[in-house]
Amino acid sequence: MALVIPEELKAKAEVWYGDEKGQERISFFLREVEMPNGLLPLKDIIECGFVEECGFVWVKQKKKVEHKFEKIGRQVTYGTEISAYVERHKIRKLTGVKVKELLLWVNLAEIYAADPLAERITFKIPSGLYKTFPATAFIIETKEIKEHKEVEKPKEIKEAIAAKE
């Protein structure tokens, strides 16, 4: 089933082509809505679009991607075409993403962080059933995160020493 983007939305959209730009934009969207960076481990992105006015995002990739989130033991498949509406702490009207529950593949409809610190992420299917997991299960440690941790540690140590004096 091909992703149908209404012409009025596509006319207002910013569109990026290629995997490198697509990866940058997906990372940017997840940061902007304050969601974990590993929620969408996509590969070989062809096209990525965003309509800022309503928060509509779409991604087209060469082939579907299967990914296992090891920390929660869940297998997820990302179709060749994924779309959603994004807003702070929420991805809604999600299409193209399925999770394996027991022996069945179930469509995901919504992903949101209910608590203000986004320590837990909830995944909801169209029937209304949901499951909640720790947000840390969906964080991929990147070079920037590693560098940030390395910079923070010495500062924390200096503050602890200063507090003891």
Side-chain angles (χ1 to χ4, degrees):
M1 183 169 101
L3 180 64
V4 178
I5 303 163
E7 286 303 316
E8 62 273 6
L9 278 182
K10 199 157 189 174
K12 299 174 185 177
E14 290 183 66
V15 182
W16 299 271
Y17 298 95
D19 188 55
E20 186 177 337
K21 281 289 185 192
Q23 295 293 344
E24 286 174 15
R25 297 318 298 177
I26 294 300
S27 179
F28 173 77
F29 296 141
L30 291 172
R31 270 194 318 273
E32 285 295 301
V33 298
E34 299 176 16
M35 296 293 262
N37 67 345
L39 274 179
L40 299 171
L42 306 177
K43 296 177 183 168
D44 296 326
I45 295 173
I46 299 168
E47 177 183 299
C48 179
F50 178 60
V51 181
E52 187 173 6
E53 181 180 294
C54 61
F56 181 70
V57 176
W58 77 87
V59 179
K60 294 180 182 180
Q61 55 184 358
K62 288 182 182 175
K63 58 183 180 177
K64 77 176 186 173
V65 173
E66 287 195 20
H67 179 80
K68 184 167 186 177
F69 290 98
E70 296 294 335
K71 292 180 181 176
I72 60 168
R74 293 286 190 267
Q75 186 80 20
V76 179
T77 184
Y78 299 87
T80 56
E81 298 175 343
I82 299 161
S83 68
Y85 288 86
V86 297
E87 57 191 71
R88 189 167 182 246
H89 296 279
K90 189 179 254 186
I91 299 172
R92 59 187 176 81
K93 294 186 180 180
L94 180 63
T95 65
V97 181
K98 295 180 181 185
V99 63
K100 191 169 190 179
E101 281 296 321
L102 299 174
L103 299 173
L104 301 172
W105 285 97
V106 183
N107 290 314
L108 282 179
E110 194 170 316
I111 304 171
Y112 60 93
D115 58 71
L117 298 176
E119 292 179 3
R120 304 204 42 87
I121 302 291
T122 300
F123 297 83
K124 191 174 178 182
I125 63 172
S127 68
L129 296 174
Y130 64 90
K131 283 199 176 187
T132 303
F133 299 100
T136 55
F138 306 97
I139 295 175
I140 296 173
E141 196 150 313
T142 62
K143 181 180 175 184
E144 292 83 19
I145 292 172
K146 287 178 185 175
E147 287 173 358
H148 182 68
K149 284 181 180 178
E150 289 171 9
V151 170
E152 275 186 37
K153 287 180 184 175
K155 182 181 175 185
E156 293 171 356
I157 293 169
K158 287 177 187 177
E159 289 173 356
I161 292 169
K164 286 182 181 180
E165 295 177 344

